[in-house]
Each structure stands twice: as structure tokens, then as C-alpha cells.
Amino acid sequence: ELRFVAHNIGGNVRFGALQTTERVFRKVWELCALSAFLVGKEAAAAMAAHGGGGTIAFTGATASTRGAAGFGAFASAMHAKRGFAQALAKEVGPLGIHVCHLVVDAPIDTAFVRENFLPRDATLARRMLPPEDVASAILAMHKQPARAWAFEMDLRSQHEPW
């Protein structure tokens, strides 16, 4: 019986609109938005089949709520992911299925980030979020009582400029 699913996929690529090919745009959309649809739809169906209940958590990024120069493909895909999550929340909430979205407004401290981004920007070290803190925030959303569900939470370190 499925009770919890987290969709944590992002395709954070930086291409100016004039340099973005249709293929890149489509791949970023498939990675972020289409995968969210497929995971959310199947998770909701499985939860509903067992009488409802459970949580479907989607992680997003700052690009889920605003675009930035050079991030058109990423921002449009993350907007679509957030929009789908919100629509799904309204559709399956009455079945007892909590759908939530977490805007992760900071880099997550992973080996990939340390190897690929930290060497170019030493300020990231102060701004990175420990993965266990992100997991704790998602778990807090999962544990919310149905009488007081939140749809969205923003996560950032105290050092993240916003």
C-alpha cells in the first residue's frame, strides 16, 4: 500500500532563449514536467485504489515561481510541474491524498554540487542545504494533519539571498 511518494527531479540548465534548441527545451520539459505528471498520476491512482490517504511531494526550485534570464526552459518546465502539483492537490485532496510542493531556493549539498559548482562559486558552501534537512521538511509536510494541510513551503538557508 503506497503512502508516500517524492518527486525530486530537476533539469537546471542555463541556456539563453536564443540559444535554446527545441530539443533542449523539450528534454528539460520531459525531465521536469512530464515526469511529474507520470509519477503524480500513478501515485494518486495507487493511493486512491486503497481508499485514499498518503502524500505526494514534489520538489521545485525558485524557477517554479519566477523566470530568470538564461533559464527559460528550466523555468517553464518547473512552472508546469508546480501547476500540475497544484491541480492534482485540488483534485485528490478530497480523497485524503495530500499533494505538496517544496520550493528549494538553494543548492543541496551533494557530491555533484560540490564537484561541479562549488569550484566556480565558493559562496555556495555557506548557502547549501544539507539533504537531511530537505528530507525533514518533506517529512514535516507528510505529517501534517488533514485539517491543516499546506500546499507549499519554501526552503533556503539563512545565507541565501532572496
Side-chain angles (χ1 to χ4, degrees), residues 24-112:
V24 167
F25 191 91
R26 186 179 309 278
K27 289 298 178 186
V28 172
W29 177 82
E30 288 173 354
L31 183 65
C32 300
L34 181 60
S35 68
F37 163 73
L38 295 171
V39 168
K41 177 182 177 185
E42 293 303 318
M47 290 174 183
H50 293 287
T55 301
I56 304 169
F58 295 92
T59 60
T62 306
S64 301
T65 61
R66 62 181 171 85
F71 293 94
F74 182 57
S76 63
M78 295 304 275
H79 272 75
K81 180 179 183 176
R82 180 177 182 246
F84 173 72
Q86 191 173 66
L88 185 63
K90 293 176 179 183
E91 185 175 333
V92 301
L95 303 176
I97 301 169
H98 183 194
V99 179
C100 57
H101 182 261
L102 289 90
V103 176
V104 181
D105 188 20
I108 298 175
D109 189 356
T110 63
F112 179 81

Side-chain angles (χ1 to χ4, degrees), residues 12 14 66 70 75 122 127 146:
N12 191 347
R14 186 175 196 155
R66 62 181 171 85
R127 297 175 15 229

